[in-house]
């Protein structure tokens, strides 16, 4: 009997809504349309390194389009080229790519589909250059990947953040308060920009435009002086003052990304309260933005990207990530995707739209 062709899939990096919708699209199309067998690698690159995986059946994909997280599990520290490994004195980063690649060979797959953000897809690019047939699919609430206008998970995170901002609006208004709502996004301001606009933020602070506390304080004073009962500031976790640095919540030694951001809203809120005399509170939305069911837009995007990725596998068109440009699904070489973090251009049309409505970005004049 002829052996079935196989593909493997892993989900890496921080989880986000829509990852399961991607897994479902890849597995269902591969099994139903092309007769492949699909191997699910557990916990991202950790499972690849440790040789942990299982077969995904068509029936396993039922009902997961609505599920947050990833049924495969994920890891945002494991990396075949710099894997944190315990030693007597602590740990060191080891290159375990040879054994990871040997594990892929043992699985006997035509291709490894890697679903992830810049860390996962950066390692995918290296695996490809080391001879592994790879196709990438973008997911990250930060939306900071080159090669796609939108990544899976972003729309849901924006929607959750916007709902949070709406809820904060009413309580801020009741109490005559200024409120700072801090959203994730690392050093990119996409999530703050989109959710700030959707939530009608009065001030949006993003890492790409260092803020001047006096400018923000003046907006708060002016609004209060003109009878407004609230001021809403939407601030990215990576925001930094002019000439200063972002607020670091924690440094994790065993991660490829050692710096965990967070807390800028608290620091700025107390400063603003001192400067304006107006009660100012802070709220960090944090991992709420990564949980729960994906929006319809994320489910549709996941389905489009996942099915296109399987077509690339069938065409043996490896070394690319599928992405969205305008309304078209495109392919981008992984090396382009791996070249860094895509930030918000300061003259982005959305920044201009927001400014034209009177939104402040809190930056120095
Ligand atoms: O990259 C996604 C993201 O949620 C960032 O926005 C955030 O800075 C980081 O991951 C948080 O990572 P962790 O879950 O490891 O704290």
């Amino acid at each position: 009997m002829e052996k079935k062709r196989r593909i493997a899939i892993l989900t890496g990096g921080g989880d986000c809504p829509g990852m399961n919708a991607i897994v479902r699209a890849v597995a269902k199309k591969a099994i139903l349309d092309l007769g492949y067998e699909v191997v699910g690698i557990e916990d991202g690159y950790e499972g690849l390194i440790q040789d942990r995986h299982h077969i995904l059946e068509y029936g396993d994909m039922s009902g997961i389009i609505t599920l947050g997280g990833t049924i495969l599990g994920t890891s945002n520290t494991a990396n075949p080229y710099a894997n944190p490994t315990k030693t007597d004195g602590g740990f060191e980063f080891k290159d375990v790519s040879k054994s990871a690649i040997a594990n892929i060979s043992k699985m006997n797959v035509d291709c490894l589909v890697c679903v992830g953000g810049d860390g996962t897809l950066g390692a995918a690019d290296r695996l490809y250059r080391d001879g592994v047939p790879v196709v990438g699919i973008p997911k990250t609430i930060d939306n900071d990947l080159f090669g796609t206008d939108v990544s899976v998970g972003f729309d849901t995170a924006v929607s959750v953040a916007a709902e949070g901002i709406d809820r904060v609006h009413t309580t801020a208004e009741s109490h005559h308060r200024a409120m700072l709502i801090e959203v994730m996004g690392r050093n990119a301001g996409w999530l703050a920009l989109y959710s700030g606009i959707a939530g009608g933020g009065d001030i949006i602070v993003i890492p790409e435009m260092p803020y001047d506390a006096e400018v923000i304080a003046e907006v708060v004073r002016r609004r209060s002086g003109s009878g407004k009962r609230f001021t809403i500031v939407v601030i990215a976790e990576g925001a930094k003052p002019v000439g200063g640095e972002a607020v670091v919540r924690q440094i994790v030694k065993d991660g490829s990304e050692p710096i965990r951001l967070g807390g800028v809203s608290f620091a700025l809120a107390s400063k603003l309260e001192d400067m304006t005399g107006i009660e100012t509170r802070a709220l960090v939305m944090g991992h709420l933005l990564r949980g729960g069911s994906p929006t319809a837009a994320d489910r549709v995007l996941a389905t489009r990207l996942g099915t296109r990725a399987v077509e690339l596998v069938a065409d043996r068109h490896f070394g690319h990530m599928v992405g969205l440009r305008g309304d078209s699904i495109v392919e981008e070489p992984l090396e382009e995707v791996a070249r860094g973090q895509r930030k918000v251009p300061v003259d982005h049309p959305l920044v201009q739209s927001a400014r034209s409505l009177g939104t402040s970005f809190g930056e120095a004049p």
Side-chain angles (χ1 to χ4, degrees), residues 233-254:
V233 184
V234 179
I235 182 164
E237 63 179 357
K240 47 182 182 279
V242 179
E245 294 302 324
V247 174
V248 175
R249 179 170 48 88
Q250 198 185 1
I251 298 193
V252 274
K253 295 198 192 101
D254 67 342

Side-chain angles (χ1 to χ4, degrees), residues 53 161 181 184 255 283 286 313:
H53 50 84
I181 300 124
M184 284 184 164
L283 169 79
V313 177

Side-chain angles (χ1 to χ4, degrees), residues 10 19 114 153 234 249 300 313:
L10 65 77
M19 278 171 125
C114 295
V234 179
R249 179 170 48 88
V300 171
V313 177

